[in-house]
Amino acid sequence: MKLFTNKKKLQNEIKNTNNISFVPTMGALHKGHQSLIKKSVKMSNKTLVSIFVNPRQFDNKKDFFAYPKSFKKDKAILERLKVTYLYKPSYSDIYNFKTKNKIFLHPFSKKLCGKFRVNHFYGVVDVVNRFIEIIKPKKIFLGNKDFQQLFLVKKHIQKNGINTKVISCRTIRNKKFIAYSSRLKRLKKYENKKLVEIITILNDYKKKLIRKRIRHNFNYIKNKLLSAGAKKVDYVEIINLKSLKKPKVFGNNCNLFFAFYIKNVRFIDNF
């Protein structure tokens, strides 16, 4: 695996390579990342993984500085998975050029997390666009746990006619049905138990919605999550994955979307 910290050196290396797949990460790699990377390695001749904690997508500076970092472990994981290139740029390497593509934000960016995190999705789409302009990958691999992010990146790519295919990948979960996340590293044992209880409550709630035993009631489920140890609940919503609208009842193509805090750590997921 070759490591690059400078985009010009990276571009010089890959300029004659036609089938690069790209997996963007912020590091602190877990089994979810590894699943994306394995799929990329299997589907493509060469895989490029980036590690860059993007300050422009954080609305809270404390959250940015607290984001877990484990570069030595990450590098060892990527070498084991037979990644071809690792790109670990500086802030200036990513942001010191003017992009060709105009950032497009679909109206869906104003829903769910968009209501609570000002400019977050602009920061996400902007940095992904910058990586794409630097690397020019044939494919980009993104996880369904961050469905809203995945959808917005896909719409930006389509709107600008970019020749990169978005490959959506299933959410990887542990035995307790918790989606792997870098933020899990910030939880203490007793806080992790709270997380398991909260996810269990949400999973049971979804099953009741599917059976139409109850109608969605945000205040009801919010109070249950607060009682289970959530510090704050931003939203719990049913969304139709095709129409992106709120259905009256839980039906086909619907997922339960939610965001909540345990102490100062924010978790999002959908299932």
Side-chain angles (χ1 to χ4, degrees):
M1 182 181 73
K2 293 185 178 181
L3 168 63
F4 293 89
T5 58
N6 178 278
K7 64 174 173 288
K8 290 184 178 179
K9 290 182 179 180
L10 172 64
Q11 288 171 322
N12 187 57
E13 169 76 21
I14 66 176
K15 62 184 178 183
N16 296 319
T17 305
N18 297 318
N19 188 23
I20 287 183
S21 286
F22 174 44
V23 184
T25 83
M26 293 203 295
L29 302 180
H30 50 68
K31 289 184 179 180
H33 292 122
Q34 292 180 49
S35 176
L36 300 179
I37 294 163
K38 286 176 183 177
K39 191 169 184 177
S40 174
V41 169
K42 186 176 181 180
M43 290 179 65
S44 309
N45 293 334
K46 296 189 177 182
T47 291
L48 187 155
V49 174
S50 66
I51 294 179
F52 179 63
V53 183
N54 177 33
R56 295 193 182 183
Q57 69 188 68
F58 286 81
D59 50 342
N60 185 316
K61 287 185 179 180
K62 289 183 180 179
D63 191 26
F64 168 69
F65 288 114
Y67 198 86
K69 299 172 183 67
S70 54
F71 181 66
K72 286 185 179 179
K73 289 182 180 180
D74 292 347
K75 190 170 179 285
I77 289 170
L78 297 176
E79 287 173 340
R80 176 172 55 81
L81 295 177
K82 298 180 180 179
V83 166
T84 318
Y85 306 112
L86 168 58
Y87 180 33
K88 189 177 184 294
S90 64
Y91 179 87
S92 61
D93 205 52
I94 290 295
Y95 286 109
N96 70 356
F97 69 97
K98 186 176 180 180
T99 59
K100 295 177 182 177
N101 300 313
K102 184 178 179 181
I103 302 305
F104 171 73
L105 280 183
H106 186 276
F108 188 49
S109 65
K110 296 179 180 179
K111 297 183 178 181
L112 301 174
C113 286
K115 294 179 182 178
F116 300 90
R117 304 188 70 187
V118 179
N119 297 323
H120 168 69
F121 287 121
Y122 186 94
V124 169
V125 175
D126 181 31
V127 77
V128 172
N129 176 72
R130 287 172 180 274
F131 274 115
I132 288 173
E133 289 195 14
I134 292 168
I135 300 163
K136 296 180 174 58
K138 287 295 181 184
K139 301 182 186 73
I140 180 171
F141 291 75
L142 300 170
N144 277 317
K145 183 178 81 70
D146 299 304
F147 175 86
Q148 193 173 13
Q149 172 179 292
L150 185 155
F151 177 87
L152 294 171
V153 168
K154 185 183 292 186
K155 288 301 176 183
H156 166 78
I157 287 173
Q158 291 173 350
K159 184 74 173 180
N160 282 281
I162 299 169
N163 188 28
T164 297
K165 184 178 180 181
V166 176
I167 307 295
S168 59
C169 303
R170 69 185 182 91
T171 303
I172 306 300
R173 303 179 183 279
N174 65 20
K175 293 179 181 179
K176 300 291 186 179
F177 205 67
I178 306 298
Y180 285 99
S181 168
S182 300
R183 295 175 188 273
L184 289 173
K185 296 181 180 182
R186 294 177 58 189
L187 294 186
K188 296 178 181 178
K189 279 188 177 180
Y190 76 93
E191 293 168 339
N192 192 64
K193 288 181 180 179
K194 289 181 180 180
L195 178 62
V196 171
E197 186 177 351
I198 288 168
I199 293 299
T200 300
I201 290 169
L202 285 162
N203 200 18
D204 289 343
Y205 181 64
K206 175 195 170 182
K207 290 174 182 176
K208 290 177 182 178
L209 290 170
I210 291 173
R211 294 172 191 149
K212 299 180 182 177
R213 286 166 54 185
I214 59 171
R215 284 185 173 271
H216 176 48
N217 183 320
F218 173 65
N219 288 329
Y220 163 80
I221 190 63
K222 174 185 175 181
N223 288 332
K224 290 205 71 170
L225 301 186
L226 292 173
S227 297
K231 178 182 177 182
K232 180 183 175 185
V233 180
D234 280 349
Y235 61 83
V236 179
E237 294 187 20
I238 307 168
I239 296 289
N240 184 294
L241 301 181
K242 290 188 175 181
S243 69
L244 304 180
K245 295 180 179 179
K246 299 178 186 179
K248 291 183 179 180
V249 295
F250 204 110
N252 294 332
N253 300 313
C254 289
N255 271 13
L256 189 69
F257 286 77
F258 47 86
F260 59 85
Y261 288 81
I262 294 180
K263 281 205 168 178
N264 295 321
V265 185
R266 189 175 192 266
F267 290 95
I268 66 165
D269 197 355
N270 70 95
F271 48 66

